[in-house]
Amino acid sequence: MSEKFFSESWLKAAHEAERAVTDQSYKLIKDPETFTHVLAFEVADRPGLASYLRFVAGRSVEWTTTPAPEDDVWARFVGDLDAWRACAEGKASASTQVMAGKIKITKGDMMDAFANAPALDLLARLFGEVDTDWDI
């Protein structure tokens, strides 16, 4: 059954997919042992649709729709639904979407984002592992 993009049930399935490749993801993060941060993902053309992925020592521990305290958010990525879908369907990587301005980094350091681009690309590709209902 399809899950609505960024719904709690979708996030649960996406987090399971991320955890299945956690060793690969860990190797792609710059300084993973100190990577204890929250990444926020927002859908620009669907106000209020967002998710928060928490990492502790380079491993994801929670992915939820519950907003994280702003001081905990290390980076915020904002893109239209079509940009996120392109990543999920393998038509574009998250890093190329950032370079093209289709996904914007509205919080965080651009150099840190580029240093961790391979991990972000892997994560966004995993969006495609979930049977997704994009009609939101």
Side-chain angles (χ1 to χ4, degrees), residues 44-58:
D45 55 344
R46 304 294 191 282
L49 187 58
S51 69
Y52 302 84
L53 180 58
R54 181 176 302 278
F55 285 85
V56 174

Side-chain angles (χ1 to χ4, degrees), residues 18-133:
E18 195 285 329
R19 296 295 297 156
V21 297
T22 192
D23 290 340
Q24 181 182 359
S25 177
Y26 184 87
K27 291 175 187 173
L28 296 173
I29 295 172
K30 181 181 179 196
D31 301 324
E33 61 282 347
T34 63
F35 194 87
T36 298
H37 301 293
V38 174
L39 304 180
F41 301 96
E42 297 179 7
V43 183
D45 55 344
R46 304 294 191 282
L49 187 58
S51 69
Y52 302 84
L53 180 58
R54 181 176 302 278
F55 285 85
V56 174
R59 309 276 184 189
S60 69
V61 296
E62 178 185 41
W63 203 348
T64 183
T65 60
T66 303
E70 191 58 31
D71 288 346
D72 290 353
V73 176
W74 182 71
R76 176 173 283 107
F77 300 91
V78 181
D80 286 347
L81 186 63
D82 288 342
W84 294 118
R85 188 172 186 173
C87 294
E89 294 176 347
K91 295 177 181 172
S93 68
S95 57
T96 59
Q97 295 286 64
V98 169
M99 294 298 292
K102 294 182 179 185
I103 295 175
K104 295 181 177 17
I105 300 170
T106 62
K107 182 176 184 178
D109 183 86
M110 185 67 77
M111 294 307 292
D112 287 335
F114 285 125
N116 289 290
L120 178 63
D121 289 342
L122 174 63
L123 179 63
R125 273 195 315 273
L126 291 172
F127 289 6
E129 296 294 313
V130 181
D131 184 9
T132 303
D133 178 354

